[in-house]
Amino acid sequence: MSFLNSLISGVSLGSIYAIIALGYTMVYGIAKMLNFAHGDVIMVGAYICFFAVSRFSLPPLVGVLLAVVVCTLLGMTIEKLAYAPLRAAPSLAVLITAIGVSYFLQNAALLLWTPNPKVFPNFFARKVTAPDGTVTDQTGMAFFDGALRVSYVTLVTILVCLAIMAVLTVFINSSKLGKAMRAVSEDKDAARLMGINVNTTISATFAIGSGLAAIAGVLLCSAYPTLVPTTGSMPGIKAFTAAVFGGIGSIPGALLGGLLLGVIEILAKAYISTQLSDAVVFGVLIVVLLVKPTGLLGKVVREKV
Amino acid sequence: MNKLNLSKASRRSFMTYAVVIIAFIVLQSLAAAGAMSSMLKGLLVPICAYVVMAISLNLTVGILGELSLGHAGFMSVGAFMGVTTAVSLQNVVASKELRLIAALLVGALFAAVVGFLVGIPVLRLNGDYLAIVTLAFGEIIKSIFNNLYLGLDSHGLHVSLLNNTLNLDEGVKPIIGGPMGIGGIQKIANFATGFALIMVCLIIIFNLVNSRAGRAIMAIRDNRIAAESVGIPITKYKMMAFVTSAAMAGAAGALFALNFSTIVANKFDFNTSILVLVFVVLGGLGNMMGSIVAAAALTVLPEALRQFADFRMLVYAIVLILVMLIRNNPTIRTFTAQLRRGRKGGAKS
């Protein structure tokens, strides 16, 4: 039963990684850049939601929507100001700029919101009135006489992840903008010749990725409720790893990579060692890349001489 | 005008040597005259360590052309092994300088071995996948040092992972204490040794770059397939550059660690790797002089911005973004290119 417990929390953590990895993988597929600031957008989203709900006592759903809107705008602004002028620059220059943006967001958060950790509220608790009249928060369900506990956060995370994947797959495959995205990721110049506005398409990709990052931020902080300005950086690196794991540029790859990474991390924590779980995760990544150098679902690009 | 009849490459390397030597003499005499602020004095050894890190990473990124995001991992190996050596030799070797040199050598050696082991899988990959695997190795090395316990007593060296089960003699403290790192280090690193390390590394790099092997390495960078087709053994030369780079990072790590009284594995994380990468990119890929200036300037900058207190890292981030935007702005690029062409034309006439 403890294995099943770990497996479920692994899938839940993996779902969060998958949502973050989507942002990395879409941006990489279309703009061919590693957006290192993505992890910090997660943190901004979580803070916005936190302040909306805790300070201004808005309903949680409004808080989440507000976070999504702010992060979408933030993502588009970052793209316009920092990345768009570097379209023709070498990829390393763009990478360093992304790192600069990441430092900027972290330190701006440090100044605005202080380094003191904030305790993120649990949105997914049900008020239960016991027969004697006392009211308690119920945060999850128990099966098999309490041997198997599933918190509502876990359930919601997994469902949200599946919903996002379904919507995104339909969007990419059938909508006009989705088709434009696929065209731009295939060949930017040919897409431009076909009348696709490349700049708008890239901007839209950043908007979608950043909006998803806000949702991931809220889910992440619901499951692990300590919120500090560096909250996003480690999950960001892990999600980036997940994106590479599944094959960067591939959307089903992001889901698969995220889920596997989350499950491996939680199982390594439970059965090998808490301190070495990161080493195990990265070790598995290395082995996978050695066997399949383009990730699990990555496309093999033949090099032409 | 070229009286010495030197090639362009060796003229450039002699320029770099000269600038480093002059900088050392100026800084050393300023320090001796007491005209240097205590802040700058304290930064001299870290600057040397970061300069060595930057030029060694420039060998991997600029000369070999492979992005490495785990360079701090090699620094970490060098730091821990170097300090362990220095502490072990404390009662055996009386001379501070000898202990420091031994620490640097052992740090470099261990980092080279780790670099070789990491290089076997890493160098089979290309591009972003190679970058992510170096990142992964950096994190793995950090995790291992965070959980490593190592102690020395009359029975010899004891090592354990995860839990402190060293069974040392009574009263003997472990050297590496897991997440606590190493404490109570004698600060034996000094500026002169740091300068010497920079010079040695520069000589090695310039001689490598201007040799047959260096040309092979740059051929691989410029076109891997073409290099392979003319019979250059890719893996051998890639490994040569990678291991050299790792060894230098190890020596830099040992130097860095012996300047502080405590050292923990978390000091050498992903952010440190990125910091060094920023030096390299800002200084210019393949440009050693640029790396040296960028590393020195960007190590001093956050300290010099202390008057802005809380805003300093924010300012640092903005400066970083602006520099990248300005350097890659097409209008400014054409303008500087024209300037350079104009100057060359002037020299000819």
Side-chain angles (χ1 to χ4, degrees):
Chain A
M1 230 17 96
S2 80
F3 175 77
L4 208 55
N5 263 330
S6 308
L7 196 67
I8 291 172
S9 46
V11 171
S12 161
L13 179 66
S15 304
I16 298 176
Y17 286 156
I19 300 173
I20 308 173
L22 275 177
Y24 276 109
T25 223
M26 284 173 70
V27 166
Y28 184 87
I30 286 161
K32 295 282 172 287
M33 66 164 286
L34 301 176
N35 182 14
F36 263 107
H38 195 63
D40 301 292
V41 177
I42 300 167
M43 173 271 298
V44 173
Y47 266 106
I48 300 287
C49 186
F50 170 81
F51 280 108
V53 174
S54 300
R55 293 286 152 84
F56 301 104
S57 20
L58 295 170
L61 201 61
V62 178
V64 176
L65 282 179
L66 191 68
V68 171
V69 170
V70 171
C71 283
T72 307
L73 292 177
L74 180 70
M76 287 166 78
T77 316
I78 293 173
E79 199 272 336
K80 189 107 285 166
L81 290 181
Y83 303 151
L86 295 172
R87 272 299 134 69
S91 63
L92 214 51
V94 189
L95 182 75
I96 300 291
T97 313
I99 289 162
V101 173
S102 157
Y103 281 171
F104 178 82
L105 290 179
Q106 272 181 29
N107 288 292
L110 210 59
L111 285 178
L112 282 175
W113 301 314
T114 73
N116 300 333
K118 308 264 186 294
V119 179
F120 204 81
N122 191 345
F123 300 149
F124 309 104
R126 220 159 40 118
K127 293 259 183 285
V128 176
T129 316
D132 55 354
T134 50
V135 181
T136 47
D137 278 345
Q138 194 186 0
T139 57
M141 294 177 284
F143 301 98
F144 306 110
D145 297 329
L148 179 65
R149 291 187 172 280
V150 183
S151 69
Y152 294 131
V153 182
T154 310
L155 274 183
V156 170
T157 306
I158 297 172
L159 291 177
V160 166
C161 174
L162 290 178
I164 287 175
M165 282 298 160
V167 171
L168 206 63
T169 313
V170 173
F171 172 78
I172 293 283
N173 286 326
S174 345
S175 79
K176 204 167 178 186
L177 188 59
K179 283 178 188 165
M181 284 176 177
R182 280 189 293 148
V184 172
S185 80
E186 196 100 337
D187 189 331
K188 222 183 269 178
D189 295 317
R192 195 174 280 127
L193 289 176
M194 295 298 120
I196 293 171
N197 189 336
V198 172
N199 279 331
T200 318
T201 312
I202 294 182
S203 195
T205 313
F206 270 89
I208 294 172
S210 306
L212 291 180
I215 296 175
V218 173
L219 291 174
L220 180 75
C221 289
S222 300
Y224 303 90
T226 324
L227 182 55
V228 287
T230 49
T231 291
S233 51
M234 202 54 197
I237 295 177
K238 294 261 183 66
F240 171 42
T241 317
V244 177
F245 198 50
I248 196 154
S250 143
I251 288 176
L255 176 66
L256 184 65
L259 287 180
L260 279 177
L261 204 77
V263 169
I264 292 170
E265 182 177 338
I266 297 287
L267 289 184
K269 265 192 188 137
Y271 294 102
I272 301 176
S273 142
T274 320
Q275 296 102 314
L276 285 180
S277 67
D278 283 357
V280 173
V281 168
F282 287 115
V284 172
L285 170 84
I286 292 168
V287 172
V288 167
L289 283 187
L290 285 178
V291 180
K292 271 196 73 101
T294 49
L296 291 172
L297 300 180
K299 272 185 287 181
V300 181
V301 183
R302 290 238 169 265
E303 264 180 283
K304 289 183 196 135
V305 183
Chain B
M1 67 180 268
N2 200 349
K3 273 183 204 158
L4 276 168
N5 215 4
L6 291 167
S7 70
K8 197 179 153 207
S10 40
R11 228 183 319 153
R12 243 171 101 186
S13 43
F14 280 119
M15 268 290 287
T16 312
Y17 295 145
V19 170
V20 173
I21 292 169
I22 292 168
F24 170 70
I25 294 171
V26 169
L27 287 173
Q28 192 72 311
S29 43
L30 274 180
M36 192 182 276
S37 67
S38 57
M39 173 207 96
L40 194 59
K41 229 178 198 168
L43 278 177
L44 286 176
V45 177
I47 287 176
C48 291
Y50 280 126
V51 164
V52 175
M53 284 298 288
I55 56 177
S56 66
L57 186 64
N58 206 342
L59 182 62
T60 309
V61 181
I63 310 288
L64 178 63
E66 296 290 6
L67 178 59
S68 165
L69 296 176
H71 211 51
F74 301 125
M75 194 182 184
S76 182
V77 172
F80 278 90
M81 289 306 145
V83 173
T84 306
T85 313
V87 174
S88 313
L89 293 177
Q90 210 151 325
N91 303 323
V92 188
V93 181
S95 158
K96 264 192 206 171
E97 280 71 24
L98 274 181
R99 257 184 288 149
L100 178 59
I101 291 167
L104 293 184
L105 287 178
V106 171
L109 183 74
F110 270 92
V113 171
V114 173
F116 181 72
L117 294 177
V118 171
I120 297 171
V122 162
L123 296 176
R124 290 179 46 190
L125 300 164
N126 284 314
D128 293 326
Y129 291 96
L130 188 148
I132 192 82
V133 170
T134 53
L135 188 163
F137 269 113
E139 292 296 314
I140 290 176
I141 290 172
K142 189 183 87 181
S143 291
I144 290 176
F145 276 119
N146 256 331
N147 295 294
L148 183 73
Y149 294 84
L150 187 147
L152 183 75
D153 64 3
S154 53
H155 300 290
L157 216 55
H158 298 249
V159 182
S160 74
L161 202 60
L162 280 178
N163 296 310
N164 189 354
T165 47
L166 293 174
N167 301 322
L168 293 172
D169 290 353
E170 204 117 334
V172 179
K173 275 192 194 158
I175 299 175
I176 302 178
M180 307 288 290
I182 308 181
I185 304 170
Q186 279 195 338
K187 299 186 198 174
I188 52 175
N190 56 45
F191 184 41
T193 322
F195 160 75
L197 183 65
I198 295 178
M199 286 305 286
V200 169
C201 291
L202 276 179
I203 292 169
I204 293 173
I205 289 178
F206 282 132
N207 277 301
L208 178 68
V209 170
N210 295 332
S211 70
R212 186 187 168 84
R215 285 190 293 276
I217 291 168
M218 285 184 280
I220 296 170
R221 171 193 68 188
D222 293 337
N223 193 331
R224 190 173 51 85
I225 296 171
E228 205 168 10
S229 69
V230 294
I232 293 174
I234 304 252
T235 316
K236 179 187 150 191
Y237 284 116
K238 268 186 164 180
M239 189 64 97
M240 185 188 277
F242 197 71
V243 170
T244 314
S245 165
M248 288 175 188
L255 180 78
F256 185 82
L258 287 168
N259 187 47
F260 293 96
S261 51
T262 49
I263 205 87
V264 291
N266 285 345
K267 178 79 193 70
F268 308 104
D269 59 356
F270 177 63
N271 287 330
T272 311
S273 299
I274 292 297
L275 186 74
V276 179
L277 185 66
V278 168
F279 299 157
V280 172
V281 176
L282 276 187
L285 292 183
N287 181 347
M288 296 300 155
M289 192 66 231
S291 289
I292 295 172
V293 174
L298 288 188
T299 311
V300 178
L301 184 68
E303 301 297 320
L305 288 175
R306 279 239 183 258
Q307 47 177 324
F308 295 102
D310 298 336
F311 289 94
R312 67 190 182 113
M313 284 317 284
L314 201 65
V315 174
Y316 180 88
I318 294 172
V319 169
L320 190 63
I321 298 172
L322 285 182
V323 168
M324 290 324 287
L325 288 184
I326 291 168
R327 272 192 48 169
N328 290 289
N329 187 307
T331 330
I332 297 172
R333 269 197 113 114
T334 346
F335 181 66
T336 48
Q338 267 169 356
L339 267 187
R340 215 167 284 160
R341 218 173 302 141
R343 222 172 20 187
K344 246 184 216 164
K348 259 179 213 160
S349 57

